[in-house]
Amino acid sequence: MSTPLGRRLDRVTLLTLGGIVVLAAAGPALAPHAPTEALDPQRLAWQPPSGTFLFGTDGFSRDVLSRFLVGARHTLGVALLAASVALLLGTAVGLGAALTRGWRDSLLMRGTDALLAMPRLLVLLLVVTGTGALRLDALALVLGATGWMTTARLVRQETRRLLATDAIRGAIVLGVPPMRLVTHHLLPALAPTLAVAATGAFASAVPLESGLSYLGLGVPTPLPSWGNIIAEAEGDLLRRWWVVVFPTVAIIGTVLLANRIADRVASRGEAS
Amino acid sequence: MRRALLARLGHGAIVIALVVSACFTLIRLAPGDPFFRDLDAARLTVEQREAQRAAFGYDRPIPEQFVRYVGQVARGELGWSHSRSQPVAAALAATLPATLLLITVATLLAFGLGISLGAWMGWRAEQPLARAADRVAVLVLAVPEYLLALLAVMGPALAWGLFPVGGMRTEFGPRGLAGLLDVAHHLTLPALALALPVAAMAARLQRAAMRATCDLPFVRTARAKGADDRIARRHARRAALVPVLSYAGVHLAVAVSGVVVIERIFAWPGMGRLLFEGVLARDYPLVAGGVLVASIGTVLGTLVADLALRWADPRQRELA
C-alpha cells in the first residue's frame, strides 16, 4: 500500500492516458471540420492523407481527422458509462451474494452463471435489433447491463475473503450495522478489486462498441465513433488504409492502456 | 467425488433453467413481433393480423406463453422460424455441424497453442524471446476480433490468394479425401482468426500460473529427488493448468460471440450466420433457440472443464 498508484505507472502509460483524456475532452474543439460535413463528394472522396487532410477523407469526403477527434468522445464516453453501469450492477450482485449466503447467494450466482453462458454479442444483437438503432446513452446502458457478470464474481470472491479477515470480523463483533459495514469497511477494502473490474469492463466495452458499429448496430451512423470510422472503409482495409489505421491504433492503445492500469492496480493490491 | 459431480450437474440444470427464462424475457421485452414486416402491411385488416398472431400464440397472457415455451423447450421443440419457414430445431441442426467444426478446431488450436506457448513462456520467463512472446500476446488481446478476421481476409486471402475468401467448400469441388482437404483449406483462416485471441489469453494465464507453480514445494521436492528439468517441468505444467481450465469453460460463450462475427466475415455456413440473419429479420424464436443451444453448450463445456480441473489439481477434489 505504501507506493502511491501514480508512481507505479511508468511514463508511457501516463502520457497515453493524458493523450486519451485530452482527446475526449478537447476533441471537438480541435477538429478542423465538422465531423458530419461532406466537403466535396465529387472530388474529395477517398483522399489519402495529405497536408490538407492529415488523416485523409472517407467515401463521403468527410475529414477523417475530424471524425476521429469527435469520435473519441463517443467511443470513450460509451465505454466509460458502460463500465460504470457494469461496476454498479456487478458490485451490488457480488456484495449481495457474499453477504447473504444460503439460497439467495446460490440463486444470485447461478443467475450470474446463466447470463455468463449466454453469448454476449447475440444478446446485444437481439436487444439492438428489437429496438432499432440505440441512442448513445442507451447503447452504453445495454453494454453495461450485459457486462457486469465478471465483476460480480470477482466482488463476491473478494468479499468472501475479506469477511474472514480479522479486521472485518472485528468490525462485525463490535456491532457495526450492516450498511455501515458495507460503506465504511468492505467497499474501501474492495477498492483495488473494483478498480481492476472497472478497467476490465472498460477494456471489453471499447472493442465491443467498435464491433457492433462494424455490424451496423452500434453508434448510429452519422455520428462518428472509432468503430464507425473503421466500418466506413467497407472492408477494403488495404486500399483505404488511412480510414482504418488511426482508429484501430487508438482502440488498441486504449485497451492496452486499460489492461496495463488494471495489471498495476492488481499487483499493488497483492503487495499490500 | 460422485456427490460433487451430482452437485455440479444440479448447478448446470439450474443455470439452463435460468437461461430459458432469460431467453423468454428477452424475446418478450423486445418491442415488435416477428410479423411486423408482413402483417403490418396496410392491406391487412386488424382482424387478419390478430388471427395470425393468435395462430402462433402471441396473443396469450405472458405467464401462459412462458409455461408453453418451457413445455416446448423441454420436448425439444424450439418453435417455428418465421424467416426461414421451417422449424427452428431443423434450421439449427442444419447449420450446427459447420459451426461445431469451426469451434472445435479453433478451440483445440487455441488451447494447444496457448498452453504449450504459455508453459514455455512461464518456464523461461527471463529469456528475451519469452518476454517478447508475452508482449505479442498482450497486443493480440487488444485487437478487436473482427479486425483480425478482416485483416486475414484482406492479406492472405485476397491480396496473396493463399486461401479462399469465404465459404466452407469449393462449389462443385472434389469429394472424398480431396474434399476434406478442401474444407480444411477453407477452415484455416476462420479457425485461426477465432483461435488467436483465445490462444493469447490461454498463454498469458498459463504463463502466470507456471511462474507461480515453479516455486511451489512439490516442484522443489521433485527437483530434490533428482528430477531433471524436463520432468520437473511436467510436474509443474499439470498443476499450472488450473486457471486455463477454468477459463476454458467460460471461453465457449465468448467463442460463440466471436463465431457470429467470424462466420459473417468468412461467409461460413454455420449457426452464427444463421442467427445474425435471424436477428435482422426479428426472428425471435430462431435467435432464442440459438442462444439456448449455445448456452447449453457452454454449460456442458464448463462441466467438462470442471472435471478436467479435478484431474489437474487433486486439491480441487476435496473442495467442491
Side-chain angles (χ1 to χ4, degrees):
Chain A
M1 265 311 180
S2 54
T3 30
L5 181 62
R7 225 175 292 161
R8 284 185 154 261
L9 299 172
D10 53 285
R11 206 168 288 159
V12 181
T13 313
L14 282 175
L15 274 178
T16 329
L17 183 66
I20 286 174
V21 171
V22 167
L23 265 186
L30 293 173
H33 300 274
T36 48
E37 183 195 359
L39 296 167
D40 185 351
Q42 292 284 316
R43 278 176 298 157
L44 291 180
W46 301 123
Q47 291 289 310
S50 63
T52 9
F53 303 108
L54 285 179
F55 284 14
T57 62
D58 65 10
F60 297 105
S61 76
R62 295 175 299 197
D63 178 35
V64 175
L65 176 63
S66 304
R67 291 183 68 72
F68 176 81
L69 288 170
V70 179
R73 181 175 282 189
H74 296 147
T75 297
L76 298 172
V78 164
L80 204 62
L81 190 53
S84 316
V85 172
L87 189 67
L88 218 63
L89 281 171
T91 309
V93 172
L95 267 177
L99 290 175
T100 52
R101 307 192 168 218
W103 65 271
R104 290 192 211 92
D105 173 31
S106 289
L107 190 67
L108 279 175
M109 290 332 282
R110 292 295 86 74
T112 308
D113 287 349
L115 292 178
L116 211 53
M118 298 170 74
R120 188 176 180 188
L121 190 68
L122 271 181
V123 175
L124 282 173
L125 287 179
L126 194 64
V127 173
V128 172
T129 34
T131 54
L134 289 171
R135 290 210 327 266
L136 283 180
D137 45 356
L139 180 67
L141 284 182
V142 175
L143 280 177
T146 54
W148 54 266
M149 287 79 82
T150 343
T151 307
R153 291 175 93 166
L154 276 176
V155 168
R156 174 175 173 273
Q157 203 182 357
E158 182 65 9
T159 310
R160 273 290 178 79
R161 194 187 67 79
L162 287 170
L163 284 175
T165 57
D166 290 342
I168 301 293
R169 277 163 64 177
I172 296 174
V173 169
L174 283 175
V176 175
M179 269 324 282
R180 199 181 155 79
L181 186 75
V182 169
T183 53
H184 284 68
H185 297 267
L186 283 174
L187 280 179
L190 279 170
T193 311
L194 294 183
V196 171
T199 35
F202 180 80
S204 73
V206 171
L208 203 59
E209 178 274 318
S210 85
L212 274 179
S213 296
Y214 169 73
L215 293 173
L217 300 164
V219 175
T221 36
L223 288 180
S225 81
W226 288 345
N228 245 331
I229 303 172
I230 296 174
E232 298 289 348
E234 288 152 17
D236 206 345
L237 304 191
L238 296 188
R239 276 195 303 140
R240 297 163 182 170
W241 57 268
W242 59 91
V243 184
V244 181
V245 166
F246 304 109
T248 303
V249 169
I251 289 172
I252 295 176
T254 310
V255 175
L256 280 177
L257 179 76
N259 286 339
R260 190 170 180 81
I261 293 178
D263 270 5
R264 288 301 157 116
V265 178
S267 65
R268 176 167 171 255
E270 260 166 39
S272 67
Chain B
M1 179 75 192
R2 182 183 286 170
R3 255 187 77 185
L5 186 66
L6 279 178
R8 290 299 305 159
L9 278 174
H11 280 178
I14 297 174
V15 169
I16 288 175
L18 287 170
V19 167
V20 173
S21 330
C23 279
F24 179 80
T25 316
L26 268 178
I27 300 174
R28 296 315 312 175
L29 273 185
D33 64 39
F35 306 110
F36 81 107
R37 227 166 244 165
D38 307 333
L39 283 182
D40 286 348
R43 63 193 155 78
L44 287 178
T45 64
V46 177
E47 290 79 39
Q48 281 171 315
R49 270 175 229 164
E50 290 314 316
Q52 189 65 24
R53 291 206 164 102
F56 285 95
Y58 282 92
D59 61 333
R60 317 299 301 173
I62 298 289
E64 190 187 327
Q65 284 191 37
F66 178 67
V67 172
R68 282 167 53 147
Y69 180 71
V70 171
Q72 282 173 355
V73 169
R75 288 195 300 274
E77 293 167 21
L78 296 175
W80 184 259
S81 163
H82 304 281
S83 68
R84 309 193 72 87
S85 304
Q86 60 174 337
V88 169
L92 289 177
T95 50
L96 196 59
T99 295
L100 276 182
L101 176 70
L102 180 58
I103 289 191
T104 311
V105 170
T107 304
L108 290 179
L109 206 66
F111 284 97
L113 206 70
I115 289 175
S116 37
L117 258 178
W120 166 74
M121 276 152 61
W123 196 250
R124 298 253 176 271
E126 305 310 320
Q127 271 189 11
L129 197 62
R131 265 196 226 157
D134 188 47
R135 297 265 160 80
V136 172
V138 173
L139 190 67
V140 168
L141 277 176
V143 182
E145 202 161 36
Y146 72 100
L147 271 174
L148 264 172
L150 277 178
L151 277 176
V153 171
M154 300 311 297
L158 267 182
W160 309 331
L162 294 176
F163 292 97
V165 177
M168 188 166 150
R169 43 169 65 93
T170 317
E171 252 177 282
F172 311 113
R175 306 234 150 235
L177 190 64
L180 272 182
L181 281 178
D182 185 45
V183 171
H185 194 206
H186 281 78
L187 182 64
T188 313
L189 284 183
L192 269 179
L194 195 59
L196 259 178
V198 183
M201 188 72 201
R204 295 218 71 211
L205 286 171
Q206 179 73 12
R207 173 181 179 271
M210 196 73 181
R211 292 188 67 176
T213 315
C214 287
D215 300 328
L216 287 184
F218 76 93
V219 178
R220 233 182 302 145
T221 310
R223 279 190 188 279
K225 285 196 303 184
D228 60 12
D229 201 55
R230 202 174 54 86
I231 307 233
R233 176 158 60 178
R234 197 194 299 158
H235 277 68
R237 193 165 47 200
R238 181 168 135 183
L241 276 175
V242 173
V244 183
L245 287 177
S246 12
Y247 169 65
V250 188
H251 132 84
L252 269 173
V254 183
V256 175
S257 282
V259 149
V260 175
V261 177
I262 302 270
E263 284 187 358
R264 189 178 137 77
I265 291 176
F266 286 96
W268 189 261
M271 217 172 89
R273 216 170 55 140
L274 177 81
L275 294 184
F276 185 71
E277 283 162 11
V279 164
L280 292 186
R282 285 200 209 182
D283 194 340
Y284 298 134
L286 180 63
V287 178
V291 172
L292 197 63
V293 170
S295 307
I296 291 174
T298 308
V299 171
L300 291 180
T302 320
L303 212 63
V304 173
D306 231 56
L307 293 179
L309 212 63
R310 279 155 207 282
W311 163 80
D313 185 357
R315 284 168 302 181
Q316 301 275 337
R317 287 171 211 163
E318 286 138 35
L319 284 174

